[in-house]
Amino acid sequence: MAYDPLTLLLWAWIAMAGWMVVLWLIERVRRNTSLADVGWCFGLVAVVADYAYFATGEIERKLLLVVMVSAYGLRLGGYLLLHRVIGKAEDQRYQRLRLVWRLDEPLRMFGYFQLQAAAVVLFSLPFLAVMQNPRPPFGLWELAGVILWMIGITGESLADRQLAGFRAKPWNHDRVCRDGLWFYSRHPNYFFEWVHWWAYVVMAIGIPGWWLTWIGPVVMGVALVRITGIPWAEEQALRTRGDDYRRYQDSTNAFIPWWPKTSQSSSAPFRN
């Protein structure tokens, strides 16, 4: 039995609101707000899988989208779970929020988790739009989108692995990572995350509701570059790595990978 898109979105929001309440209760005990980020990733996978079961559309296309969102969400969610939650101290960005919120912290943290629930529904719209493609699968635009998706997922995974490998070495704890993709961008993981969302725009070219797919790259791009991504990460890096990171800022693009302005100096390891 197929449901109309508005009904699916309503049920997705109700389910994600409940899911985030559970994670918020766990956060009250564990005191690690990165649980919300993990919940966002896993929640997106669950919502899109639900759409694939209940929405109209070609089964082959829906299965493809489930594979794509699962590879994206489970990888990123698993990475965050291992590197930011299990056995890890809470990210300093969230620690500072607790200090700022003070007595209002429990309620504000609840609101933050619920904001993540709404974000799951918002970012599920590109998938739902692509599922409604009235054309038979798979056209050239869809294949081009899959190729772009592979570039985004591969780049983000590689950047995360390179950073994790760098941080795993104890002598690098006070140094700036310039390994691999981090030589060309200060935030290559964010860049390829953004590229990944363009894949659904390309897949949906020419279909009704195409504009919904732009939610992914536009909203995610603004969030990464202007709000919760680069600004927070750079503030923390400047505080912990000081002059080393300032030199990195002077030589290396923040977002789009490119050759450093002074490749010789940017490749050299500096210490604070």
Side-chain angles (χ1 to χ4, degrees), residues 140-171:
L140 289 178
W141 284 122
E142 284 182 303
L143 295 177
V146 171
I147 293 173
L148 188 59
W149 175 87
M150 293 176 65
I151 293 172
I153 293 296
T154 301
E156 187 176 10
S157 301
L158 180 59
D160 284 341
R161 278 203 308 273
Q162 289 169 345
L163 182 60
F166 180 86
R167 289 178 172 174
K169 300 171 184 176
W171 54 85

Side-chain angles (χ1 to χ4, degrees), residues 88-166:
K88 305 296 182 181
E90 185 179 49
D91 191 292
Q92 292 183 20
R93 295 174 292 180
Y94 293 130
Q95 292 179 25
R96 294 200 304 276
L97 280 180
R98 291 185 191 277
L99 294 175
V100 172
W101 288 343
R102 296 184 181 180
L103 295 178
D104 293 334
E105 183 267 332
L107 183 60
R108 286 176 179 257
M109 195 62 73
F110 178 83
Y112 176 76
F113 273 73
Q114 288 304 306
L115 184 63
Q116 292 285 63
V120 170
V121 179
L122 179 67
F123 282 97
S124 72
L125 285 171
F127 297 94
L128 187 58
V130 175
M131 286 182 188
Q132 306 304 305
N133 189 340
R135 298 191 292 257
F138 297 98
L140 289 178
W141 284 122
E142 284 182 303
L143 295 177
V146 171
I147 293 173
L148 188 59
W149 175 87
M150 293 176 65
I151 293 172
I153 293 296
T154 301
E156 187 176 10
S157 301
L158 180 59
D160 284 341
R161 278 203 308 273
Q162 289 169 345
L163 182 60
F166 180 86

Side-chain angles (χ1 to χ4, degrees), residues 11-267:
W11 280 110
W13 175 74
I14 293 172
M16 287 302 100
W19 168 233
M20 287 298 174
V21 168
V22 173
L23 292 179
W24 174 75
L25 291 173
I26 297 174
E27 180 274 332
R28 292 290 84 195
V29 177
R30 294 294 304 273
R31 309 297 286 182
N32 193 326
T33 309
S34 291
L35 279 166
D37 303 321
V38 175
W40 185 92
C41 295
F42 293 162
L44 183 66
V45 174
V47 165
V48 175
D50 185 69
Y51 291 165
Y53 187 81
F54 290 107
T56 58
E58 298 289 343
I59 184 64
E60 296 88 353
R61 181 176 289 114
K62 292 194 290 186
L63 287 175
L64 172 63
L65 288 168
V66 170
V67 170
M68 293 171 74
V69 74
S70 297
Y72 162 73
L74 296 180
R75 186 213 70 84
L76 182 56
Y79 175 84
L80 294 173
L81 188 64
L82 291 174
H83 294 275
R84 304 247 181 113
V85 177
I86 298 177
K88 305 296 182 181
E90 185 179 49
D91 191 292
Q92 292 183 20
R93 295 174 292 180
Y94 293 130
Q95 292 179 25
R96 294 200 304 276
L97 280 180
R98 291 185 191 277
L99 294 175
V100 172
W101 288 343
R102 296 184 181 180
L103 295 178
D104 293 334
E105 183 267 332
L107 183 60
R108 286 176 179 257
M109 195 62 73
F110 178 83
Y112 176 76
F113 273 73
Q114 288 304 306
L115 184 63
Q116 292 285 63
V120 170
V121 179
L122 179 67
F123 282 97
S124 72
L125 285 171
F127 297 94
L128 187 58
V130 175
M131 286 182 188
Q132 306 304 305
N133 189 340
R135 298 191 292 257
F138 297 98
L140 289 178
W141 284 122
E142 284 182 303
L143 295 177
V146 171
I147 293 173
L148 188 59
W149 175 87
M150 293 176 65
I151 293 172
I153 293 296
T154 301
E156 187 176 10
S157 301
L158 180 59
D160 284 341
R161 278 203 308 273
Q162 289 169 345
L163 182 60
F166 180 86
R167 289 178 172 174
K169 300 171 184 176
W171 54 85
N172 285 331
H173 78 280
D174 61 344
R175 298 170 64 184
V176 175
C177 178
R178 294 178 176 88
D179 292 351
L181 294 170
W182 299 86
F183 179 78
Y184 303 98
S185 169
R186 302 201 302 270
H187 303 280
N189 52 342
Y190 291 163
F191 172 76
F192 285 105
E193 165 79 14
W194 181 67
V195 167
H196 150 263
W197 287 101
W198 280 106
Y200 309 109
V201 176
V202 174
M203 292 179 72
I205 288 176
I207 72 170
W210 180 51
W211 64 274
L212 290 171
T213 61
W214 284 78
I215 290 172
V218 171
V219 178
M220 184 62 73
V222 172
L224 291 175
V225 175
R226 298 293 184 185
I227 305 175
T228 61
I230 291 176
W232 281 21
E234 300 254 306
E235 179 185 348
Q236 181 174 332
L238 285 170
R239 186 170 52 254
T240 57
R241 293 172 177 83
D243 289 339
D244 190 4
Y245 199 81
R246 290 186 184 91
R247 285 188 286 265
Y248 189 46
Q249 287 180 315
D250 290 340
S251 66
T252 309
N253 280 358
F255 191 59
I256 299 175
W258 194 248
W259 295 101
K261 296 174 185 176
T262 53
S263 59
Q264 185 176 17
S265 63
S266 65
S267 62

